[in-house]
């Protein structure tokens, strides 16, 4: 029996594009195993002479990167869980429940996506200062409790579900919340997985707001901690690249695990207006 690999003419276009996106990641990994002399050599050297782990060793011994990693995991976990709960509830409400001003409220929420985050930083910082959240890990987590994009994504998915399922559950005596929890939510697993991936990527890579809200280096997230490696006169490139490898690896693993549900949800929500 002969096996044939799936191939289409689009692969001839997509493979070079994929290489463009993959090459920086490969160079990041290779640079993390170089010495400072190899990195600063001219003309540039793209391959390490051998696998040097000084960058990783200095990173683990001289910086609180494990604390930064734990802070980032905490912030991202809070963001993902709160997004799944709050955005699914709000999305279902806008998709199925009828109440006065539903359309106007939904448009107002979606419109907040167009407001630049830089415009919100000063009032957000002042509000956090009044309630004592500045310079805490919670300052990085609270803005990620819910988002307009998450509500929009879940609403679009719920609109595509057949309403007859919920009507049958109502005839059987289920309350609205029980119908949502027992009937709708299990069907929404692909959308929830997609929302979790988007939220994880955004909260994990968030740099600007934590950089403004946190000054204690023990409260840093990974991105803020890695940004501190770049000085005005000298940058420890081997440590910086090693830190980037550590910061990127969990995201790649999470995307590979959930990529099938991610693609399925994008296809499903794209068909329903």
């Amino acid at each position: 029996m002969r096996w044939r690999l799936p191939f289409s003419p689009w692969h001839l276009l997509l493979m070079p594009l994929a290489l463009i996106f993959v090459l920086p990641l490969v160079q990041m990994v290779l640079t993390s195993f170089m010495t400072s002399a190899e990195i600063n050599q001219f003309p540039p050297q793209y391959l390490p002479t051998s696998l040097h782990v000084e960058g990783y060793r200095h990173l683990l011994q001289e910086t609180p990167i494990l604390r930064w990693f734990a802070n980032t995991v905490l912030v991202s976990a809070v963001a993902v869980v709160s997004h799944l709960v709050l955005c699914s509830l709000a999305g279902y409400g806008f998709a199925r429940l009828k109440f006065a001003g539903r359309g106007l409220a939904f448009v107002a929420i979606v419109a907040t996506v167009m407001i630049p985050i830089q415009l919100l930083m000063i009032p957000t910082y002042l509000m956090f200062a009044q309630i004592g959240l500045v310079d805490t890990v919670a300052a990085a987590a609270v803005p990620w409790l819910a988002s307009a994009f998450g509500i929009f994504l879940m609403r679009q998915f719920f609109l595509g579900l057949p309403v007859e399922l919920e009507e049958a559950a109502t005839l059987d005596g289920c309350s609205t919340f029980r119908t949502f929890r027992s009937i709708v939510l299990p069907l929404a697993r692909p959308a929830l997985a997609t929302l979790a991936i988007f939220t994880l990527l955004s909260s994990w890579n968030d740099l600007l707001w934590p950089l403004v809200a946190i000054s204690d280096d023990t409260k840093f997230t990974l991105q803020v901690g890695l940004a501190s490696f770049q000085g005005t006169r000298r940058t420890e490139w081997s440590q910086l690249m090693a830190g980037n490898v550590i910061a990127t690896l969990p995201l790649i693993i999470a995307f590979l695990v959930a990529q099938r549900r991610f693609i399925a949800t994008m296809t499903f929500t794209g068909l329903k207006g």
Side-chain angles (χ1 to χ4, degrees), residues 111-230:
T112 60
V113 175
M114 294 183 286
I115 301 175
I117 189 172
Q118 293 84 355
L119 201 64
L120 302 174
M121 282 195 172
I122 293 178
T124 305
Y125 185 89
L126 294 176
M127 183 177 66
F128 277 33
Q130 288 182 349
I131 59 178
L133 283 182
V134 169
D135 211 13
T136 64
V137 178
V142 169
W144 286 104
L145 293 182
S147 68
F149 170 76
I151 295 172
F152 175 79
L153 178 70
M154 295 309 300
R155 173 185 177 271
Q156 295 302 101
F157 188 87
F158 290 139
L159 285 176
L161 294 179
V163 71
E164 290 79 9
L165 290 174
E166 299 159 58
E167 291 174 348
T170 302
L171 291 176
D172 287 340
C174 288
S175 63
T176 302
F177 181 72
R178 188 177 178 187
T179 301
F180 169 75
R181 186 191 61 187
S182 304
I183 306 295
V184 177
L185 216 50
L187 296 174
R189 285 174 183 168
L192 293 173
T194 302
L195 180 60
I197 285 293
F198 273 124
T199 307
L200 176 63
L201 291 174
S202 302
S203 59
W204 189 279
N205 290 323
D206 188 20
L207 169 64
L208 191 57
W209 169 246
L211 194 63
V212 171
I214 302 174
S215 56
D216 184 352
D217 63 353
T218 62
K219 311 287 177 54
F220 281 175
T221 59
L222 265 176
Q223 301 302 331
V224 179
L226 295 178
S228 66
F229 291 165
Q230 301 184 55

Side-chain angles (χ1 to χ4, degrees), residues 21 28 32 37-38 41 70 96 99 105 121 134 146 162 178 194 200 221 245 251-252 256 262 265:
F21 287 100
M28 178 184 71
S32 71
E38 290 175 334
Q41 184 177 337
R96 289 290 191 260
F99 54 89
M121 282 195 172
V134 169
R178 188 177 178 187
T194 302
L200 176 63
T221 59
V245 171
L251 298 182
I252 294 176
L256 292 177
F262 176 82
T265 303

